[in-house]
Amino acid sequence: MPCLKAGQIGDNLRVSLTSVVDIMITYQSKNSWQRPLLIALIGSAVVGTGVWWFAGHSGPDATTPVSTTASEPMAAATGSMATPATPALAVSTDPTVLSDGRPSDLAPGVWSALEKAMTNKPQLKPEVDKVLSYMRYQRSFEQWQSLEDARDAQQRHQLAQSLLNQMPDRLAKGEFSLSEALMMTTVLLSDLEPDEKKREQQIDEWGKKMALTAPQPMDDAQVQADQQRVEDMRILPVLLAESPNPDPAKVQQALEERSRISR
């Protein structure tokens, strides 16, 4: 595969961006429980992105640390955002813990299923926390989408910046494949930086930063395996979103499998 020149990452990513936008528009109109599949579909639209990007950054500066650093996540959207809630997880930027131990943004039936899954298996608790964190991030992404035509650009940009700042850490945890992370970074920066040249530079810098936090796939087979693993990690979030009363046995099985493959 020929090496890419500096700046070509922006051109190549924009080619795939149209497909991603089409996916977003389609899923905006579907039932809310289907939306946890949104990010998975974004990744499916650009599988292979990681291969050609790393092929173009395999020179001496491929592992050069980027000066840009992700600051602490900025305050996310307020509760007034008009984003539909899934049966499993309602929109909440800072959920409280209720008297029964249930997070306030979690449906009672879902929390009950998770509690039963953790009965006599407290080692699964950290994985439950990861699942809920991922679902909240996905919901925040939907909140950002819903603000596309909002007059309050500052609110939208704060949310976009927060999502962007979290991306390297979530990539390291295996919540996204490299191709998904690169694409989502491009989408978010398209909102944050109107200047095309500056945006391309920032995309390139964020790509280098993420290269330091995730294994670098060098061929299509590795990219596909990485994508499959990420999709397997999403089986439980999708299961929790499908019904307000998921089957505890299925939840436990999915939770144990996720714990096995989780980073």
Side-chain angles (χ1 to χ4, degrees):
M1 182 180 295
C3 289
L4 300 176
K5 296 180 180 179
Q8 280 187 296
I9 180 173
D11 294 334
N12 284 276
L13 283 172
R14 276 194 297 277
V15 171
S16 299
L17 186 56
T18 300
S19 298
V20 174
V21 172
D22 289 342
I23 291 172
M24 290 178 178
I25 293 173
T26 299
Y27 270 72
Q28 287 271 1
S29 62
K30 289 183 177 292
N31 294 331
S32 60
W33 68 264
Q34 294 174 303
R35 295 187 180 186
L37 296 174
L38 172 64
I39 296 176
L41 287 174
I42 290 176
S44 298
V46 292
V47 167
T49 301
V51 171
W52 62 253
W53 189 86
F54 281 117
H57 292 76
S58 57
D61 64 342
T63 58
T64 301
V66 182
S67 58
T68 304
T69 56
S71 59
E72 290 295 323
M74 300 174 67
T78 65
S80 61
M81 287 187 176
T83 305
T86 66
L89 193 65
V91 177
S92 177
T93 58
D94 188 19
T96 58
V97 178
L98 304 178
S99 59
D100 60 354
R102 174 174 61 90
S104 59
D105 62 349
L106 202 62
V110 173
W111 179 242
S112 176
L114 288 172
E115 280 195 311
K116 290 179 181 178
M118 291 185 289
T119 300
N120 299 323
K121 293 190 177 183
Q123 69 273 18
L124 295 178
K125 176 62 165 60
E127 203 60 41
V128 170
D129 293 339
K130 292 179 184 178
V131 170
L132 298 184
S133 175
Y134 165 77
M135 294 176 72
R136 289 175 183 126
Y137 184 86
Q138 192 270 343
R139 177 56 62 190
S140 293
F141 190 84
E142 291 180 9
Q143 288 179 338
W144 170 73
Q145 284 182 270
S146 73
L147 292 174
E148 181 179 3
D149 298 322
R151 293 182 179 180
D152 190 348
Q154 182 179 2
Q155 184 185 51
R156 186 181 74 245
H157 290 166
Q158 283 184 332
L159 183 54
Q161 189 66 56
S162 175
L163 292 165
L164 185 62
N165 289 345
Q166 295 178 59
M167 182 55 66
D169 181 59
R170 292 186 178 276
L171 174 64
K173 291 178 180 177
E175 293 182 356
F176 302 99
S177 66
L178 181 62
S179 58
E180 288 175 337
L182 289 170
M183 179 55 66
M184 291 178 68
T185 296
T186 300
V187 171
L188 292 168
L189 285 173
S190 294
D191 183 31
L192 289 168
E193 180 51 70
D195 185 275
E196 183 176 0
K197 290 185 178 180
K198 291 181 180 180
R199 184 169 63 248
E200 287 184 359
Q201 181 180 0
Q202 290 179 17
I203 290 171
D204 197 56
E205 290 176 348
W206 275 95
K208 289 178 181 178
K209 175 188 289 189
M210 290 187 291
L212 299 177
T213 64
Q216 302 182 14
M218 299 308 295
D219 56 46
D220 287 340
Q222 289 178 328
V223 170
Q224 294 285 354
D226 186 31
Q227 184 66 41
Q228 183 59 55
R229 179 183 170 282
V230 170
E231 291 176 6
D232 289 343
M233 292 272 286
R234 293 186 182 131
I235 291 176
L236 181 55
V238 171
L239 179 63
L240 296 178
E242 285 181 335
S243 169
N245 295 289
D247 184 344
K250 292 182 179 180
V251 170
Q252 183 179 42
Q253 181 180 5
L255 187 58
E256 289 178 337
E257 176 60 19
R258 180 187 165 97
S259 179
R260 185 183 68 82
I261 64 176
S262 180
R263 291 178 186 166

